[in-house]
Structure formats: structure tokens, C-alpha cells
Amino acid sequence: MSTKSYLLDTSVILDDIQNIVYLYQDGANALFLSDTIIDELDKKKELMNEMGYFVREFFRNLYTPEESSTTTESQQFQGIDSDNVCARSGGSGGLAPTADNKFAQQTCSKNNDYIRQIYFIHNTHHIPITLIYRPHYEIPHQDHSLNDTKIITIAKDYNLTLLTNDISLKIRALTQNLNAQSLFRDRVENPEKIDFWQSFEIHKDENLSSLEANEGFGKLKNWSLLELIELDNTDSSMYRTGKKSFGFKIDGKCEIANLDEIISENKPYITPANLEQKMLYAMLLHPKNLISIVTGATGSGKTLIALQAGLSLLKNGDVEGIIYLRNTVTATDKEAELGFRKGDESQKLSYFMYPLYSAINCMIDKLQQGSLAKRIEYRGEVKSIEKMEATEYFLQKHKIEVLDIAHARGITIANKFIIFDEVQNASNATIKLIGTRVGEGSRIVFLGDWAQIDHPYLSKFRNGALSLLQKATSDDMIAAMQLRQTIRSDIARWFGDFE
């Protein structure tokens, strides 16, 4: 296998530091970083969000050879082969190791580049990375994309393959005849075709054991959504009676869900509007369902039904509260930088909590319409973007907490119903960060619209929502549903289909 040499762009590291392990391939490939990329990462390490956390995590795992050699006695580290690296740029090797420093710093005479080998140490992996620092770039002055130009220059001079998930940088590199690639380890083609519904015909005189013996049923994963179509027969023919029942495959068995009975027993503030919403409500209430991914366009009822399921679990004593998380990435912000908004943390977060407040206020309106007592209880103004008196009271009464994702690290969330909204704007690393915070007695539902991407390095073929959907197609631990029906105005529906 021929060795490939990759210059890693900032976007690849921010996507997931596990990309470094994946790319190294147990020594099959060589990895490089330039000073520009280090500078870009350094500027983000102070961000108080998940991006800042991942940058700090990356730097925490970097060691010099001297530090690395004292970290483990069994690992033998070698100095960088500077002649080989410099030869790529047409230069020659510089300083040789000395008795005092066997890991001496190296230079390439052509551009006076400083070359240093560092190590990325993560779990059991000790991965060498060549750091190239150029003190002066001989490029014309430019107001835009200066860093991109520097990165491309290093990749060219050292004959490296530029690896970037920044599409504009990739295109700029390709136009200069530079080998540039993207790392899309979890790209999902045709996500709209992912479907968890399965239909079966079953005679009215047969019991569920006959269905469970069906070969097709046996191949289904747990939490498959089942539509059972009733059959009957005359002496000469078989026909459909028009009756249907619905349920889930759980632990290899078919479990019928009497949807109307579930709704009647739990009495949600707002009745689910269609079959999808009823199935979602029943799925989220099921005691064996600990992890769910639910996708759908705006107006499909994701947040509303998830919140109502959480309220029912709270009322039934299954959880002690509700945690609402939402990725603080917007269509106008390149990154999630809460610090630039006015107010304290709660006021800053309120800008991003519109879906939650919208769902709550929909419930408050229904309660106020139902009785004078509720109008008195939920007194005050209701507003969707900023929390006003009635909305604040609802949050406190129902033990609903809003949490910034960046502040979830280092804590354990136990005995809560966790709603992670806008998961399509989360990387796999962010999902892992939150998932590892879930403690005993908690359950989590991820919500998102995989086609509505605001994150700079993600797309509608590759994002957190799709990663979870793909996982749900084969993993029995996670339940999933794609909501296809939307309840929107004619104007919203028209723009939703706008091409």
C-alpha cells in the first residue's frame, strides 16, 4: 500500500478529532499541519461552545517527542526525517540531532521553513504529525482568503494532498491544480429513502405469533414501525377488511400500540394531529425506549410532540424533569458564538429557543382556551422569542431547563427527559459529547431536519441527524422516525417546495 501524505485543514479537525486516527491508518499515511491551521485553531480555543471545546481537546492531546517519550516507556519515537520532508519542496535538510537534543528542530533551506514532529496521543494511539512553520509567505497582499492561500501554498510546495471539508477552500485548491479532497466518512446518499415503516397483512383469525414467525418480520430491527392490515376471506377469495392496527417490533416481538388509548390515558395538552404524531408520542413514552432520532421539516410537530411526551413522562413519575438542548448555530452566524450577543447566558440562549417557546405557547393557548382557571393560572403575556410571564411560569411548573450544549461537558444528566433539537447542525463529536452525559434514569430524543443545514462544515448528505438515522437502520438500541406530514400555512408550504 502506497503512503499518502495529507495536509489537514482546520475543518477536518473541528469535525472530529477521531478523523486523525482514521486517516493515519496505523502508519499507512503521513499527516501534516501548517502554522496557519494551528493559528486558526488557536483563535477558536477560547470559544465557550462545543467548537471551542473540541479545539481545546485537540490541543490537550498534542505532545512533543520529548514529552511523548516520557509518557510511555514501551513506545519508541523516532526523530523526523527532515531530508525526506524537505525534498518535497526542493530544499535540503537542516539541523542534525545533537547529544543534548536528539529530537532537534529541522529547517528547509528553500523557504527557511521550520519543521517539527509532534504527536497526537489519544487513547492507545500515538500518531506522528509533521508541523510546518513558514516565517514569511511570499504571496501578494489580499483582503480575503489569505489563510486559504497560505494553506494552499504549503500543500503545493510539499506536494501534499489537501484534506478539507471547507468547500470554498477545496474549490480554490482544485482551480490551482492541487490535489484536494474532503473527508466524508458518514455521508448518506438519498436520505429521504430511509424508512422505518413496514406493512404486513395478517388474517383476523391469526394471532401475532404467526406474524413473528414471518421471515420478513424476523429480519426487521427493533423499533421498526409496524402497520398491520387485517385480512378476511370468503369461500373463494381473500380480501382486506379495511381495518388496520399499528405497533412496534420490540425485543423480537410485535407489540401492538393502541394509539387512541395511549393518548386518552396520558391526556396530552394538545392531541397529536395525525398517525405519525400519534406513533411518535407512543414511541417516546415506551418504557424501553431510551434513545430516539426524529426528523422532519418545520411544521411536522417534532418539538411539540417530543415536549408533550416529556411532560407525560414527568407527570407519570418516569423522569424528574425535562432538559432542552439546541445547537446554537444559526443561518447567519458562521459559528456558534453566544458571547457576542447581549445579556446573560439565559438571555443569550433565548434567541435560540424559539422552537421550544413556540411549542410551549401553543400549549398555553390551548389551556387558556379551555377554562377560566387556566387563563388565571397562565396569566401574563405570551411571547415566542423572549420568555414572558406565562411562558416562564410554564417552564418552572413543568421543570423544564434550557441548557447550552457547550456547558454540558463535565456533568451527568440523570432522571431527565432530554430533547436535543436541531441535531442536523451537530457533528458526530457533538452528539458523542452529549450522549456520554446521559446518566441513569434518563432518556434522550434527537430532533432535526437533515435538509436544513446552517453549520459551515456539514451538508444535507452528512450531518448529525443523518448519522443517527443511519445508525438506527441497523442498531436495536435506537428508535427512529422520519415525519413526512407537515402542518403549515399555504405560504410556508409553497416556500418549503421552492427550488
Side-chain angles (χ1 to χ4, degrees):
M1 181 187 299
S2 60
T3 299
K4 297 179 181 179
S5 299
Y6 294 112
L7 178 63
L8 308 184
D9 177 41
T10 309
S11 59
V12 173
I13 295 171
L14 289 178
D15 176 59
D16 190 346
I17 59 175
Q18 289 291 338
N19 286 338
I20 297 173
V21 178
Y22 173 80
L23 289 166
Y24 184 56
Q25 296 287 307
D26 294 325
N29 300 320
L31 307 183
F32 294 77
L33 288 173
S34 74
D35 58 293
T36 305
I37 295 164
I38 294 295
D39 287 343
E40 288 185 348
L41 290 169
D42 188 61
K43 291 176 182 178
K44 299 179 188 297
K45 70 181 181 183
E46 301 299 331
L47 295 178
M48 296 308 297
N49 56 28
E50 70 275 14
M51 185 171 290
Y53 169 76
F54 293 135
V55 170
R56 293 190 293 275
E57 187 72 8
F58 168 73
F59 281 129
R60 276 193 289 265
N61 285 278
L62 289 184
Y63 296 86
T64 65
E66 296 92 333
E67 294 170 319
S68 301
S69 59
T70 59
T71 301
T72 172
E73 295 180 357
S74 61
Q75 182 73 25
Q76 297 297 318
F77 295 103
Q78 302 298 325
I80 185 171
D81 184 355
S82 61
D83 291 333
N84 183 49
V85 174
C86 291
R88 293 172 173 274
S89 64
S92 60
L95 303 176
T98 66
D100 295 330
N101 182 12
K102 64 179 178 178
F103 301 108
Q105 301 155 359
Q106 311 292 334
T107 61
C108 282
S109 58
K110 178 181 179 182
N111 295 294
N112 201 30
D113 289 349
Y114 169 97
I115 297 176
R116 176 71 166 172
Q117 185 160 293
I118 57 178
Y119 285 88
F120 179 78
I121 301 180
H122 187 62
N123 296 330
T124 60
H125 301 283
H126 297 68
I127 300 173
I129 300 177
T130 301
L131 176 62
I132 302 173
Y133 171 73
R134 178 164 295 179
H136 178 68
Y137 287 83
E138 296 181 357
I139 55 178
H141 173 75
Q142 55 190 83
D143 294 328
H144 302 287
S145 306
L146 177 61
N147 282 356
D148 286 359
T149 302
K150 290 180 177 179
I151 293 169
I152 290 172
T153 300
I154 292 293
K156 276 185 174 180
D157 287 349
Y158 286 88
N159 193 27
L160 304 174
T161 297
L162 174 60
L163 204 61
T164 178
N165 290 341
D166 185 334
I167 302 303
S168 63
L169 173 57
K170 180 180 178 181
I171 293 173
R172 189 174 288 111
L174 291 173
T175 59
Q176 298 182 43
N177 200 31
L178 176 67
N179 186 12
Q181 300 175 11
S182 296
L183 179 64
F184 293 151
R185 286 195 285 150
D186 45 6
R187 181 182 172 93
V188 177
E189 303 290 347
N190 303 314
E192 71 281 354
K193 294 183 179 180
I194 298 177
D195 193 3
F196 300 93
W197 282 94
Q198 295 292 331
S199 294
F200 293 92
E201 294 181 335
I202 183 170
H203 195 277
K204 69 181 187 65
D205 294 331
E206 292 180 331
N207 55 35
L208 294 179
S209 60
S210 63
L211 172 64
E212 293 164 357
N214 182 289
E215 181 180 358
F217 181 88
K219 292 180 179 179
L220 297 180
K221 67 172 291 287
N222 274 350
W223 298 109
S224 292
L225 313 174
L226 305 176
E227 178 190 50
L228 306 183
I229 302 169
E230 185 181 85
L231 299 178
D232 200 357
N233 66 286
T234 63
D235 292 339
S236 58
S237 63
M238 191 79 68
Y239 64 92
R240 294 181 173 183
T241 66
K243 294 182 180 181
K244 294 181 180 180
S245 55
F246 302 91
F248 309 96
K249 180 179 179 180
I250 301 176
D251 296 335
K253 302 291 184 181
C254 174
E255 186 174 308
I256 298 298
N258 190 325
L259 302 178
D260 292 332
E261 185 176 310
I262 292 172
I263 293 170
S264 178
E265 288 178 354
N266 290 278
K267 297 181 175 60
Y269 289 136
I270 297 177
T271 303
N274 51 46
L275 174 62
E276 286 183 337
Q277 292 186 4
K278 290 178 180 180
M279 283 289 282
L280 175 57
Y281 183 70
M283 184 178 80
L284 295 179
L285 288 184
H286 198 284
K288 292 185 177 181
N289 180 14
L290 302 180
I291 309 172
S292 303
I293 168 65
V294 182
T295 65
T298 302
S300 58
K302 304 184 298 295
T303 306
L304 181 63
I305 299 302
L307 181 58
Q308 293 201 118
L311 293 172
S312 296
L313 291 168
L314 178 66
K315 183 177 68 175
N316 296 337
D318 297 313
V319 297
E320 297 175 357
I322 299 169
I323 301 290
Y324 181 84
L325 298 164
R326 183 174 183 267
N327 229 20
T328 51
V329 177
T330 73
T332 56
D333 291 334
K334 180 176 175 59
E335 292 147 7
E337 298 183 358
L338 282 175
F340 292 102
R341 294 188 177 272
K342 295 180 180 180
D344 58 21
E345 179 183 353
S346 177
Q347 291 171 318
K348 291 175 181 180
L349 282 174
S350 70
Y351 288 100
F352 298 93
M353 299 306 159
Y354 178 80
L356 173 66
Y357 300 151
S358 178
I360 288 174
N361 295 334
C362 184
M363 296 181 194
I364 292 176
D365 288 341
K366 183 68 179 294
L367 289 168
Q368 290 175 335
Q369 294 170 12
S371 69
L372 175 61
K374 293 299 182 183
R375 287 198 296 275
I376 295 174
E377 180 181 6
Y378 293 97
R379 63 192 179 279
E381 186 180 354
V382 176
K383 202 170 185 178
S384 292
I385 297 178
E386 296 180 4
K387 292 180 288 187
M388 304 301 282
E389 188 175 355
T391 313
E392 183 68 36
Y393 173 75
F394 190 99
L395 289 166
Q396 293 176 358
K397 178 181 178 180
H398 297 91
K399 301 179 181 178
I400 302 172
E401 301 175 64
V402 173
L403 183 65
D404 181 13
I405 290 174
H407 297 160
R409 64 184 185 276
I411 66 173
T412 299
I413 306 174
N415 300 312
K416 304 284 187 173
F417 183 73
I418 305 166
I419 301 173
F420 186 136
D421 210 350
E422 303 291 343
V423 71
Q424 78 278 2
N425 283 324
S427 66
N428 289 350
T430 301
I431 293 172
K432 184 175 181 179
L433 168 66
I434 298 303
T436 53
R437 301 300 94 211
V438 179
E440 290 296 324
S442 287
R443 53 178 77 187
I444 186 168
V445 54
F446 296 90
L447 309 176
D449 177 2
W450 48 259
Q452 188 67 47
I453 308 299
D454 301 316
H455 194 287
Y457 304 135
L458 300 176
S459 74
K460 68 177 183 178
F461 300 107
R462 180 181 176 275
N463 57 68
L466 287 181
S467 294
L468 289 168
L469 280 178
Q470 188 73 7
K471 192 77 171 176
T473 60
S474 58
D475 195 309
D476 287 338
M477 184 68 178
I478 181 171
M481 185 180 297
Q482 290 220 69
L483 301 179
R484 315 282 187 180
Q485 301 180 45
T486 59
I487 304 172
R488 295 188 287 180
S489 67
D490 291 339
I491 294 176
R493 188 178 300 109
W494 185 84
F495 276 105
D497 296 332
F498 188 82
E499 296 290 345

